[in-house]
Amino acid sequence: GSRKYRRTVYTHDQWVKHRSPDRFLNNIRTLVNSGIYKQVAKEVIATTSVAVFVCGWNALAGGYEGFDGSMHEAVIQGSWVQKVGLPLTPFTVLTPSLGLLLVFRTNTSYQRWDEARKFWGLNINHTRDLNRMATAWYGNQSNQDDTKFIGASTPAAENIDPVKRQEDLQQLSLFTWAFVRSMKRHLSPPAEDEDAFCQELRARLSPSQAQNIIDAAHRPNRALYDLSVAIDKLPMHFMRKNEINKNLSIFEDTLGGCERLLSSPVPLFYSRHTARFLSTWLLLLPFALYDPFKGSWNHIAEIPTVALTSVFLFGIEELATQLEEPFTILPMQGFCDKIGMWCDEIISWRGQGLDKEVEQYSMMK
């Protein structure tokens, strides 16, 4: 439930707050509100309960210290009654191994998040690149400058109709946005994004265009096909179209890479072994910490120590689990909105030689 609140796109203001000297105090103050720690509450309660049991049982079975400092005999007596405990040495020996498992788990999960963010970075870069080239190259430029193409068979285009130009480029911008928006929906939980996706498509595309994408079995592929058709309709030399179409191949790569991350988690046997190792280690730790805390009243300092240790170690494993599936914590909606805005701005610029073309077109009319 808290994942959607982690989709932050940083600006200068956020970076100033991020490196504020008060950040340590603020992070401690909001510790109880942490979504990560709330996720591991059950595990922490379990290990803390074991610590409470160890302290309580040993006090009943081996005697306890009163509030006045006097020692009292065991409440439960008998030949079968024994204090519980474990040596600390096995935990000391196993700690480096547990640390390596957790480090590898978190590093692998972060790499998956970083890879997903880079895929979306490529989407952002190449959507702008695609619309920039289409806007600048609209129309066959051989009748406007000295550009020569080897073996060119495309005749010089007629004067550019500014209205037709704007319609063609607007379609290009819309289908560029439709692809990334469809990709966002493809990578998001249906219950979270389906209604918003359909509503946004119907608001920006024509009814038939929106419905074609919504009805497709693989929506990003359909949007990418529509974008390819829109590029093919642009009046320009095929070599320039080829350059623009290279961006679509990159989109296919980013889409495939994101699908790979979504469908292939860190090998389950590794994740399960790490979780079992950590859980067993922390559940048995209270038995080994009883004697080291003999200096505290009835060894009671063991309880908060076990609780804090569990919070932080289970928190590391929870961080890895949260990062492992990166798409529901990436601000993909923000990426899509900015891509749509930037593409609309780019196509509003005048292209190469357009001033002269508009003037000639107006004189002809």
Side-chain angles (χ1 to χ4, degrees):
S2 62
R3 290 176 70 82
K4 61 183 178 181
Y5 301 111
R6 299 172 185 153
R7 303 168 189 169
T8 306
V9 179
Y10 264 42
T11 61
H12 291 292
D13 292 338
Q14 277 78 30
W15 280 115
V16 170
K17 183 178 179 180
H18 183 75
R19 57 178 176 261
S20 167
D22 299 327
R23 63 187 182 274
F24 298 105
L25 180 61
N26 291 333
N27 288 335
I28 294 296
R29 181 171 52 83
T30 58
L31 188 146
V32 295
N33 298 322
S34 169
I36 292 293
Y37 298 149
K38 289 179 180 178
Q39 285 289 109
V40 300
K42 293 180 180 178
E43 292 87 344
V44 173
I45 290 172
T47 56
T48 306
S49 299
V50 174
V52 171
F53 166 76
V54 170
C55 290
W57 173 262
N58 286 346
L60 294 174
Y64 62 94
E65 181 181 353
F67 291 109
D68 58 358
S70 60
M71 297 302 299
H72 298 267
E73 293 184 359
V75 175
I76 304 175
Q77 297 183 2
S79 58
W80 58 272
V81 177
Q82 297 288 332
K83 293 173 65 175
V84 294
L86 288 172
L88 191 58
T89 303
F91 295 88
T92 305
V93 172
L94 289 174
T95 296
S97 300
L98 178 60
L100 286 174
L101 283 173
L102 290 174
V103 166
F104 180 82
R105 180 89 168 86
T106 52
N107 282 352
T108 302
S109 296
Y110 175 77
Q111 288 169 5
R112 290 168 59 86
W113 178 90
D114 185 57
E115 190 175 5
R117 180 60 184 89
K118 287 176 179 177
F119 284 142
W120 274 92
L122 285 173
N123 282 345
I124 292 171
N125 295 344
H126 287 278
T127 51
R128 292 185 294 204
D129 198 36
L130 184 155
N131 282 268
R132 173 188 59 79
M133 289 189 289
T135 301
W137 292 346
Y138 187 91
N140 190 320
Q141 303 301 318
S142 61
N143 62 335
Q144 297 174 1
D145 56 29
D146 296 327
T147 302
K148 301 296 182 182
F149 295 103
I150 298 175
S153 59
T154 305
E158 297 180 358
N159 292 325
I160 298 172
D161 179 353
V163 176
K164 179 68 164 55
R165 175 183 182 274
Q166 187 60 33
E167 290 176 354
D168 289 345
L169 293 178
Q170 185 63 40
Q171 285 293 297
L172 186 77
S173 175
L174 284 174
F175 283 125
T176 303
W177 168 83
F179 165 69
V180 293
R181 186 62 183 87
S182 299
M183 182 171 168
K184 189 261 181 183
R185 167 62 195 89
H186 188 63
L187 301 171
S188 301
E192 177 184 311
D193 196 41
E194 179 66 21
D195 293 340
F197 169 74
C198 295
Q199 183 178 355
E200 289 180 40
L201 251 62
R202 292 189 174 109
R204 299 194 62 171
L205 302 178
S206 69
S208 60
Q209 291 171 340
Q211 200 61 43
N212 285 338
I213 296 176
I214 292 172
D215 291 342
H218 196 289
R219 290 163 170 175
N221 274 345
R222 173 66 204 211
L224 202 58
Y225 165 78
D226 290 337
L227 178 57
S228 182
V229 171
I231 293 171
D232 191 59
K233 291 180 179 179
L234 297 177
M236 64 178 63
H237 194 275
F238 76 93
M239 292 183 68
R240 286 178 167 170
K241 289 184 183 180
N242 287 345
E243 286 299 313
I244 296 176
N245 272 303
K246 289 179 181 179
N247 293 289
L248 272 62
S249 296
I250 294 173
F251 293 156
E252 281 285 11
D253 290 339
T254 61
L255 174 60
C258 288
E259 289 176 328
R260 170 177 53 81
L261 292 175
L262 184 63
S263 61
S264 304
V266 173
L268 295 179
F269 55 84
Y270 186 92
S271 302
R272 289 169 180 167
H273 178 70
T274 303
R276 289 164 182 160
F277 191 161
L278 177 62
S279 299
T280 304
W281 194 88
L282 285 171
L283 285 169
L284 294 179
L285 182 63
F287 294 94
L289 290 182
Y290 182 78
D291 285 340
F293 282 97
K294 60 185 178 182
S296 62
W297 182 76
N298 288 319
H299 306 246
I300 199 169
E302 173 188 1
I303 297 174
T305 301
V306 169
L308 282 175
T309 304
S310 300
V311 165
F312 296 135
L313 290 182
F314 278 129
I316 292 173
E317 201 276 336
E318 180 65 22
L319 284 173
T321 302
Q322 294 289 332
L323 285 170
E324 187 177 2
E325 190 276 279
F327 302 108
T328 48
I329 55 175
L330 280 175
M332 294 189 295
Q333 184 64 48
F335 296 155
C336 294
D337 293 342
K338 287 186 178 295
I339 286 172
M341 178 182 66
W342 289 327
C343 290
D344 286 343
E345 180 187 26
I346 291 171
I347 64 167
S348 69
W349 300 335
R350 289 184 177 273
Q352 183 177 340
L354 186 60
D355 290 334
K356 181 170 64 177
E357 286 292 339
V358 170
E359 182 180 349
Q360 293 175 353
Y361 186 80
S362 300
M363 292 177 61
M364 291 176 60
K365 292 183 67 177

